[in-house]
Amino acid sequence: MSSGELIRTALYEEHVTLNANIVDFHGFELPIWYSNIKDEHLATRSGAGLFDVSHMGTFRFSGEGVKQWLEGIATQKVSAIATGRCAYTHFLDSNGYIIDDMIFAVVSDSEIIGVPNASMIDVMWQWFSQNLPHDDSVVIENISSEYSILALQGPKSKEILTSVLGETNHIGRFRWQLLNANDHDISGWIQGTGYTGESGYEIFIPNSEAAKLWRLLIAADATPIGLGARDTLRLEKGYLLSGVDFCWPELPESTDFLARDSWETNVPFGLDMGHEFVGKSRLESHDSSDSRWWGVKYTEKGPLPRPGKDVADLQGNIIGKLSSGAPSPSLGNVGIGIGYISGVSEGDEILVVASPRKSVRAIIVRPPFV
């Protein structure tokens, strides 16, 4: 919860009109659901969900050598990402712990646009600023307050997007482009990214155009989706949530358990050890006995997996803990979770200590779950 005055996105009144259940989310007033989490989740998997993610940040990095500069503080090999492509990366501190993760788009050899997490905008602004080249060859701008971000996700997203903005504004997965001329004079840019694992788009537009595009997409059969289903959708795909599945140890809310590096998160993208970057030495120090991020899937009924629940081997020895967990709507509400577990491989049987009186059998999986 936020202790200050809450921020309303440009779509706040649209959410009110749709009778959304609005909550305080990292200082923003945003919908947790419109109807219910399960229905909205399944609507995204079968049709197309529409999310207001305008709480996310938008940074512009520009200058000659910007790709090489960003590469030096990112786990991703930024110089290998072609113009018009997007990529995922972590940023580590000097001790190797993840500060935050981010998707960025390479606009040109001299411009990159990045999307920091909502709760980490100020932290990442400070981190980037203190790591800028001393010769002022790279400049960063925080343009978060100028733009709204609409995420359209699901198997019908292309059909809906092109019916509203035209075929020339369809873009492939992890690609970026400026919005082309369209019948509704919507401006900005679009990228083939998102947080649900479905095909779709994130559309960045001036705040003044947000309500117009929101209504047009809903009229074209997109379903408004709240933050509740956004969380279960990302969990089914095994996407990490900043502050929940990892947390920079310099933050007051962090714990030793959530202080992690990129090796421990076991994510099969976003980490390239073929270049030098801040914090790299910690990643090189691990061995196979260290705990690492895995998924767990229930094989029997029992109390649901929740964050903080211990994971044990079949003899009852504690070998890890969940960072996220919930019933999976796409799998008939089977319990799933992700966390950091030692000494396991995919397919191993384990126990989730779901309550003081009940441990539930589960198997180790490598997400996605669906």
Side-chain angles (χ1 to χ4, degrees):
M1 300 292 286
S2 172
S3 59
E5 185 175 351
L6 298 180
I7 300 169
R8 294 178 175 177
T9 72
L11 292 169
Y12 176 80
E13 294 300 333
E14 302 299 314
H15 304 318
V16 171
T17 298
L18 293 171
N19 296 315
N21 183 354
I22 295 174
V23 300
D24 172 358
F25 185 77
H26 295 299
F28 288 80
E29 290 188 275
L30 288 167
I32 194 74
W33 68 68
Y34 300 86
S35 57
N36 62 75
I37 292 173
K38 182 178 180 180
D39 287 351
E40 292 173 19
H41 178 113
L42 295 176
T44 304
R45 290 276 184 252
S46 62
L50 181 62
F51 305 76
D52 177 10
V53 291
S54 306
H55 59 297
M56 300 291 285
T58 308
F59 290 172
R60 179 183 286 125
F61 310 92
S62 57
E64 295 304 318
V66 67
K67 294 173 73 173
Q68 290 72 25
W69 166 75
L70 192 63
E71 184 172 296
I73 57 173
T75 59
Q76 178 68 261
K77 193 171 178 62
V78 180
S79 62
I81 310 302
T83 296
R85 299 300 299 257
C86 303
Y88 173 82
T89 191
H90 291 163
F91 296 100
L92 311 181
D93 67 15
S94 57
N95 295 315
Y97 293 109
I98 301 172
I99 306 172
D100 201 19
D101 60 353
M102 187 177 80
I103 287 179
F104 63 92
V106 178
V107 178
S108 69
D109 285 343
S110 59
E111 182 178 351
I112 291 173
I113 293 176
V115 183
N117 288 294
S119 63
M120 296 295 287
I121 293 172
D122 291 343
V123 171
M124 291 311 299
W125 175 263
Q126 182 177 358
W127 175 251
F128 289 131
S129 296
Q130 72 186 44
N131 281 283
L132 286 173
H134 296 303
D135 61 2
D136 297 327
S137 58
V138 174
V139 174
I140 63 171
E141 302 167 77
N142 183 357
I143 55 175
S144 306
S145 63
E146 300 173 32
Y147 288 89
S148 295
I149 311 173
L150 278 63
L152 180 66
Q153 302 276 291
K156 294 184 179 178
S157 58
K158 179 181 178 182
E159 173 187 336
I160 291 172
L161 185 282
T162 56
S163 73
V164 173
L165 294 179
E167 290 283 348
T168 62
N169 284 311
H170 161 67
I171 194 163
R173 188 162 176 77
F174 272 70
R175 293 186 176 275
W176 178 98
Q177 72 173 41
L178 289 172
L179 283 171
N180 290 310
N182 55 82
D183 292 341
H184 304 287
D185 295 323
I186 300 294
S187 62
W189 66 91
I190 185 169
Q191 52 194 53
T193 53
Y195 199 47
T196 66
E198 295 292 335
S199 59
Y201 316 90
E202 290 179 314
I203 312 165
F204 298 70
I205 53 175
N207 291 328
S208 59
E209 300 174 18
K212 180 180 181 180
L213 181 58
W214 176 266
R215 294 172 191 168
L216 287 167
L217 293 171
I218 291 174
D221 207 25
T223 301
I225 309 293
L227 292 167
R230 180 174 164 85
D231 190 51
T232 56
L233 288 159
R234 70 91 190 172
L235 176 58
E236 286 185 348
K237 295 299 179 180
Y239 292 160
L240 299 168
L241 178 57
S242 178
V244 173
D245 299 308
F246 63 84
C247 192
W248 188 35
E250 296 296 319
L251 298 177
E253 62 269 28
S254 190
T255 64
D256 289 343
F257 175 68
L258 290 179
R260 299 290 174 173
D261 63 43
S262 303
W263 184 92
E264 292 170 298
T265 63
N266 204 14
V267 176
F269 48 83
L271 172 61
D272 187 319
M273 295 293 285
H275 72 289
E276 295 303 313
F277 54 88
V278 173
K280 182 180 178 181
S281 59
R282 177 182 166 86
L283 278 63
E284 298 172 319
S285 68
H286 289 289
D287 60 47
S288 58
S289 66
D290 292 339
S291 65
R292 211 168 189 191
W293 176 89
W294 287 98
V296 301
K297 180 181 177 183
Y298 275 13
T299 56
E300 63 178 355
K301 293 184 178 180
L304 293 169
R306 295 299 185 190
K309 298 298 182 181
D310 286 331
V311 176
D313 62 22
L314 296 183
Q315 288 72 48
N317 303 303
I318 302 301
I319 56 174
K321 185 183 294 186
L322 298 182
S323 53
S324 292
S328 166
S330 300
L331 298 175
N333 289 331
V334 168
I336 60 172
I338 55 178
Y340 296 93
I341 307 170
S342 301
V344 296
S345 299
E346 190 168 5
D348 287 354
E349 285 192 284
I350 49 90
L351 299 170
V352 175
V353 186
S355 75
R357 292 178 294 179
K358 178 64 175 179
S359 292
V360 184
R361 283 184 174 264
I363 58 170
I364 296 292
V365 301
R366 180 68 177 263
F369 294 93
V370 296

